[in-house]
């Protein structure tokens, strides 16, 4: 069974975090929520989540994917956390799947894992990706090697389904998307 970890810091974007966790769990991917705080992590819109684990309790070796939601100031809190940066760098060195949405791709740029890669980010933050050596793309979801990036809250479902496809296979991802009535909205 594939395993993923979604890392939350105070100020995370709830839709981006929870829709991805939901889709991955529906896809039978063991998905842990790791918080930078021990008791709870509070989203940018006041939703409080009790993480499954604290950031100190996780190891890259236990996961196939490391996922960062955006949100403000969540992405700043992720970017300023040395443990998060080290986790992302180590995951990249080991060829693990690294995924970030909204403003969180700037964390990947800051960690140095976007050099020479195509990526996307929340509008207005393109230069931060370029400073990190990435080639900016406007697509809702961009995949380049082991890195998956996405634009923001409205692309969170597309991002989640793409991660499901990569981790659980196309058939499982299609099954999950079908049960979620994707075609009613996305055609």
């Amino acid at each position: 069974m594939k395993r993923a970890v979604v890392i939350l810091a105070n100020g995370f974007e709830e839709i981006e975090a929870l829709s991805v966790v939901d889709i991955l769990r529906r896809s039978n991917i063991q998905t842990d929520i790791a918080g930078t705080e021990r008791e709870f992590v509070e989203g940018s819109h006041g939703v409080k989540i009790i993480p499954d684990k604290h950031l100190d309790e996780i190891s890259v070796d236990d996961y196939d994917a490391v996922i960062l939601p955006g949100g403000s100031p969540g992405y700043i809190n992720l970017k300023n956390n040395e443990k998060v940066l080290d986790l992302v760098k180590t995951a990249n060195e080991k060829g693990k799947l690294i995924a970030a949405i909204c403003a969180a791709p700037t964390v990947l740029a800051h960690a140095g894992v976007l050099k020479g890669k195509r990526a996307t980010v929340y509008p207005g933050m393109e230069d931060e990706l370029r400073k990190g050596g990435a080639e900016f793309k406007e697509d809702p979801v961009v995949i380049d090697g082991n890195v998956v990036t996405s634009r923001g809250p409205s692309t969170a479902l597309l991002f989640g389904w793409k991660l499901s496809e990569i981790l659980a296979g196309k058939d499982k991802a299609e099954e999950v998307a079908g049960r979620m009535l994707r075609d009613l909205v996305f055609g």
Side-chain angles (χ1 to χ4, degrees), residues 131-146:
K131 283 184 217 170
E135 177 188 347
F136 171 73
K137 295 291 185 185
E138 287 188 6
D139 300 341
V141 179
V142 175
I143 303 168
D144 192 338
N146 65 317

Side-chain angles (χ1 to χ4, degrees), residues 21-81:
V21 169
D22 181 88
I23 289 170
L24 294 180
R25 288 182 178 177
R26 287 174 191 247
S27 301
N28 298 323
I29 297 162
Q30 172 63 45
T31 306
D32 291 333
I33 298 171
T36 58
E37 308 300 319
R38 289 198 183 275
E39 291 186 30
F40 66 85
V41 186
E42 186 169 346
S44 59
H45 301 97
V47 176
K48 294 177 181 164
I49 299 294
I50 299 169
D52 301 310
K53 298 181 179 201
H54 184 267
L55 191 58
D56 290 341
E57 300 171 324
I58 66 167
S59 167
V60 162
D61 294 329
D62 294 335
Y63 298 99
D64 301 292
V66 174
I67 303 163
L68 306 178
S72 186
Y75 83 97
I76 295 167
N77 292 330
L78 291 172
K79 193 185 300 186
N80 291 334
N81 187 306

Side-chain angles (χ1 to χ4, degrees), residues 5-7 66-70 78 84 88 98-101 104-105 107-108 159:
V5 63
V6 177
I7 302 174
V66 174
I67 303 163
L68 306 178
L78 291 172
V84 171
V88 168
I98 303 167
I101 185 171
V107 179
L108 305 185
F159 180 64

Side-chain angles (χ1 to χ4, degrees), residues 162-182:
K162 185 50 72 177
L163 295 176
S164 170
E165 182 179 323
I166 293 167
L167 293 167
K170 189 170 181 74
D171 289 345
K172 186 61 166 180
E174 289 295 321
E175 174 194 322
V176 169
R179 284 188 281 127
M180 292 177 71
L181 306 180
R182 176 184 62 192

